[in-house]
Amino acid sequence: MSTKADATAVILAAGKGTRMQSQLPKVLHPVCGKPMLHWAIEAAKEVCDEVVVVLGHEREKVLATLPSSIQHAVQDPPQGTGDAVRVASPLLQHQGVVLVLPGDAPLIQASTLQALLEGHKDALCSVLTAHITPQEATHSGYGRIVRDEHGKTLAIVEAVNASPQQKALTEINTGIYAFNSAWLFNEVLPHLKAHPPKNEYYLTDAIEEAAKKGRLQAIEHHDLTEVTGVNDRIALAELQAQARLQINRDWMAKGVRFEDPNCTYVDSEVTLEADVELGPGVVLRGKTSIGAGAKIGPYCVVEDCQIAANVIVASHSVLSGAILEEKSSVGPFSRLREGTHLEQESKIGNFVEIKKSRIGAGAKASHLSYLGDANVGERANIGAGTITCNYDGYAKHQTSIGTEAFIGSNTALVAPVHVGDKAIVAAGSVVTEEVPADAIALGRAGQKNLEKAAQRFHEKRSKEEGSN
Ligand code: UD1
Ligand code: CA
């Protein structure tokens, strides 16, 4: 982006968002993992030094998500978009340009805002417009751009206030504007009048005032998706589908392979390197990063994980808050929870759950195990069915397993407990005491064989069956 304009952005985020039918404030509904409002803030920050967000409905919740560099004004109660800009007035210089944008249009690009600011020059108002189809015009809630027979913009009329002819107009107000700040705050906003049906003060009335002065510009934008305002969950889902495809296309351009980009979900904060391969149904959430050449198989869900180069995560694995070093492998059907750290070339197989544990380089837990609060040494082998009994009903305890230790199948390691380097634990053991390095621990009942007992049993049964 080129140098920032001498403009302050005001982002409107005080509305209730009634049409979302939600406890969550509308502007906090996420699009590809990031609240709508934050998309708008990030675009605005690229073109303006200062950004003011107007908060109202559930403002504490919204405020809690804002970075400290963002100023806010409070509109309580929300009385329309004109009133919302007015409450930001004490925070602004009333000189230069004020860029106004809604908090519910997350896909707006900084380049579009930049073009609006560059085109604004000495107009009193420049409004960004877009086109809907005649079919959409039958039900759309956007304000309509009213032009005279020469194409000159006269006003914006809100859908609820529009006549049938006006409602059929297909040029709409995106809700994104550049204003001459002094004019807006000193000459227009103090004089707005409330409109039925909700007695709201409309920012759109400023457009008519600028038109009367002959200093209004309507700048048409060709991409409706980019400027779409989300009012309900249907629009949110549609917009998110668009955002998702755009994210996937951007990663493909950088060398990521998507087996099916239509059903792969990559959050906006995820980072991927070249030659990452993503199977169908993969969901990557939060601040996940994946290194070059790593393969994530079908239907894996990965949240807030750091995955190094050439890692393999096989299908249907669920990973959260885990670190996977180079060439480690996981799955299919593995579950890695918060605080799991897999060192290089370690291998976690199917139906293994790991929590808050470090698995040493080259160590293996190939089948059906639970490792919690454990430290597993390099090249150790964890047999099928091994369980760290980390919880005694009151507190969690640690298990440590030495380098090249061998834990036989179906072992219960009752924590706190330590198994030394190169020690062997016999299958089926319940280990309650330390196993020294190089020792073999046999922690199970000795086997007793009753000679010929099975034979006697079968003979008895066949006799009984014969007599019946
Ligand atoms: C508004 C415009 C409409 C435009 C549309 C674009 C007005 C009167 N109408 O309608 O012409 O086509 O946006 O999406 O401006 N907000 C406040 N305080 C309020 C009311 C709203 O901060 O008192 C905020 C909302 O949180 C939201 C934004 O302003 O982020 C837009 O409000 P919304 O109620 O969605 O306006 P629309 O009916 O969509
Ligand atoms: Ca809206």
Side-chain angles (χ1 to χ4, degrees):
M1 193 54 47
S2 57
T3 53
K4 291 184 187 179
D6 173 24
T8 302
V10 175
I11 302 181
L12 308 185
K16 191 155 182 239
T18 314
R19 291 163 281 183
M20 296 298 283
Q21 304 282 350
S22 175
Q23 296 290 325
L24 189 68
K26 173 165 85 173
V27 294
L28 291 188
H29 279 259
V31 170
C32 298
K34 184 158 66 183
M36 279 198 246
L37 176 60
H38 289 235
W39 289 76
I41 289 175
E42 282 168 25
K45 268 199 336 208
E46 279 194 50
V47 298
C48 296
D49 282 324
E50 255 182 279
V51 177
V52 176
V53 179
V54 180
L55 304 177
H57 178 72
E58 297 261 34
R59 62 175 174 272
E60 298 303 330
K61 274 194 199 164
V62 182
L63 187 59
T65 73
L66 294 185
S68 55
S69 61
I70 302 295
Q71 302 187 72
H72 74 278
V74 173
Q75 184 200 25
D76 189 14
Q79 296 183 83
T81 49
D83 177 57
V85 177
R86 189 158 56 193
V87 303
S89 171
L91 293 171
L92 303 174
Q93 301 290 319
H94 301 191
Q95 60 189 29
V97 178
V98 56
L99 179 72
V100 174
L101 55 159
D104 65 355
L107 298 195
I108 183 68
Q109 299 292 304
S111 54
T112 304
L113 298 177
Q114 182 79 9
L116 179 69
L117 290 172
E118 279 166 8
H120 178 66
K121 303 210 168 69
D122 52 16
L124 292 175
C125 172
S126 302
V127 54
L128 197 67
T129 73
H131 288 273
I132 55 176
T133 64
Q135 290 87 330
E136 287 165 336
T138 60
H139 57 271
S140 172
Y142 284 115
R144 305 298 202 275
I145 306 292
V146 181
R147 293 181 184 258
D148 68 12
E149 65 274 24
H150 308 293
K152 202 165 147 243
T153 312
L154 299 178
I156 294 174
V157 29
E158 288 308 299
V160 283
N161 308 108
S163 67
Q165 289 94 323
Q166 288 172 329
K167 229 182 151 185
L169 294 169
T170 56
E171 190 182 3
I172 59 96
N173 169 26
T174 64
I176 300 165
Y177 327 78
F179 290 102
N180 173 309
S181 185
W183 171 79
L184 180 70
F185 286 104
N186 299 330
E187 292 177 44
V188 182
L189 295 182
H191 310 296
L192 288 181
K193 296 199 171 53
H195 287 267
K198 294 200 270 173
N199 276 328
E200 289 190 347
Y201 299 90
Y202 292 172
L203 181 61
T204 46
D205 285 356
I207 280 70
E208 203 169 333
E209 293 305 311
K212 281 186 199 155
K213 296 236 152 66
R215 289 170 71 188
L216 171 69
Q217 299 189 89
I219 298 176
E220 294 178 48
H221 192 63
H222 52 276
D223 181 359
L224 181 65
T225 306
E226 185 192 325
V227 294
T228 293
V230 171
N231 293 326
D232 58 30
R233 290 177 185 266
I234 296 167
L236 177 64
E238 286 171 0
L239 190 109
Q240 180 162 257
Q242 297 291 331
R244 184 157 55 77
L245 282 180
Q246 190 55 52
I247 288 173
N248 293 355
R249 283 194 205 107
D250 290 347
W251 286 122
M252 286 187 268
K254 291 178 179 156
V256 173
R257 176 183 156 85
F258 286 75
E259 212 155 309
D260 184 355
N262 294 311
C263 62
T264 308
Y265 302 75
V266 180
D267 272 1
S268 67
E269 312 264 281
V270 169
T271 60
L272 305 172
E273 287 180 6
D275 291 316
V276 164
E277 294 187 17
L278 304 176
V282 165
V283 180
L284 304 179
R285 295 214 160 106
K287 295 203 189 315
T288 292
S289 62
I290 304 184
K295 293 182 174 56
I296 315 294
Y299 308 105
C300 288
V301 181
V302 180
E303 182 165 13
D304 295 325
C305 289
Q306 294 169 40
I307 297 181
N310 300 311
V311 166
I312 293 177
V313 180
S315 73
H316 296 91
S317 295
V318 179
L319 281 55
S320 173
I323 296 172
L324 284 71
E325 292 187 14
E326 273 200 43
K327 294 189 188 167
S328 55
S329 73
V330 166
F333 299 99
S334 300
R335 175 152 187 234
L336 304 186
R337 293 164 53 198
E338 198 62 36
T340 298
H341 185 142
L342 305 185
E343 292 183 0
Q344 291 193 12
E345 297 186 46
S346 56
K347 182 176 178 296
I348 303 305
N350 44 203
F351 306 108
V352 174
E353 175 183 350
I354 305 185
K355 182 216 79 168
K356 270 198 196 160
S357 294
R358 192 177 180 99
I359 310 299
K364 288 181 185 163
S366 299
H367 332 266
L368 295 155
S369 288
Y370 171 62
L371 300 171
D373 306 298
N375 202 330
V376 176
E378 294 185 5
R379 298 179 301 284
N381 188 81
I382 309 296
T386 296
I387 305 289
T388 54
C389 310
N390 59 330
Y391 185 52
D392 58 13
Y394 296 96
K396 301 283 169 64
H397 301 283
Q398 295 287 323
T399 299
S400 66
I401 296 169
T403 302
E404 289 179 33
F406 182 96
I407 312 295
S409 296
N410 214 31
T411 292
L413 297 162
V414 182
V417 74
H418 171 70
V419 178
D421 292 349
K422 296 192 177 173
I424 294 174
V425 175
S429 293
V430 177
V431 178
T432 55
E433 281 164 32
E434 173 167 349
V435 181
D438 300 310
I440 293 185
L442 270 157
R444 63 186 185 214
Q447 183 172 332
K448 193 162 93 178
N449 290 340
L450 305 176
E451 293 296 332
K452 304 279 184 200
Q455 193 184 358
R456 287 195 296 277
F457 170 79
H458 292 306
E459 282 167 4
K460 183 166 177 250
R461 198 171 62 179
S462 56
K463 255 189 227 153
E464 279 168 5
E465 276 168 3
S467 67
N468 279 336

